Amino acid sequence: LSGKLGAAFSSANWMGGGSELTLQGIHEALFCYGMLLYSGGVTLGLPYNHLGAVSKKKPVDSDAEKCIKFGKDIAAKAVSLFTKN
């Protein structure tokens, strides 16, 4: 998995610290395997994802928008990193 691009998202029944801890645990595992870790932060505009997208239960409305944008941002970063010129 070394050199590959990894990312994480989480859903929760309650928006508390559990999802953030889950994302952190996934990120730690990705780092241990030598993966690159995607984080768009605030640089790509709203809605922003720092560690990964988190939604409450099934993603709808703004949660769905955040998850879809997260996926598109990851895909764009993968293209920019791994496309040969």
Side-chain angles (χ1 to χ4, degrees), residues 65-82:
E65 178 186 353
K66 181 171 38 174
C67 292
I68 290 168
K69 183 176 184 304
F70 188 56
K72 288 179 179 180
D73 292 346
I74 295 165
K77 179 53 71 176
V79 168
S80 73
L81 288 172
F82 302 116

Side-chain angles (χ1 to χ4, degrees), residues 36-68:
L36 303 171
L37 181 60
Y38 178 82
S39 174
V42 298
T43 62
L44 300 176
L46 294 173
Y48 57 85
N49 297 288
H50 290 292
L51 300 177
V54 177
S55 70
K56 187 171 181 190
K57 298 184 180 180
K58 181 180 176 185
V60 294
D61 300 326
S62 63
D63 280 350
E65 178 186 353
K66 181 171 38 174
C67 292
I68 290 168

